[in-house]
Amino acid sequence: MEIDKLCPMCGGSEIGKGRTIGQGGMVPIKSLMKGSMVYADICTECGHILSMRVEKPEMFKNKN
Ligand SMILES: [Zn+2]
């Protein structure tokens, strides 16, 4: 998916993609399981994070 949005903070148009490393992943708050990788869209001008999302959103459903 191509990203063609602008940074709401500085108007920059170059949006980079980042991901967490090491222990920076996100885990369900009640879980001790291995976490899910977190991806972020980052403005390469000012560093503003436009959005973050996890690799495995189904892990965070409240069903039990
Ligand atoms: Zn920016």
Side-chain angles (χ1 to χ4, degrees):
M1 185 176 84
E2 200 64 32
I3 295 174
D4 60 349
K5 52 195 171 189
L6 298 178
C7 173
M9 301 302 283
C10 74
S13 60
E14 190 171 337
I15 307 301
K17 285 186 174 297
R19 67 174 179 83
T20 55
I21 58 172
Q23 295 302 307
M26 188 80 75
V27 296
I29 197 164
K30 288 186 278 189
S31 174
L32 299 175
M33 296 186 312
K34 190 165 180 280
S36 177
M37 191 73 73
V38 177
Y39 296 100
D41 292 331
I42 302 162
C43 173
T44 60
E45 295 296 323
C46 73
H48 179 69
I49 298 176
L50 282 77
S51 67
M52 293 181 72
R53 62 200 174 282
V54 295
E55 180 182 34
K56 299 169 184 169
E58 68 277 5
M59 287 178 57
F60 296 87
K61 289 183 176 177
N62 288 317
K63 66 170 191 261
N64 251 328

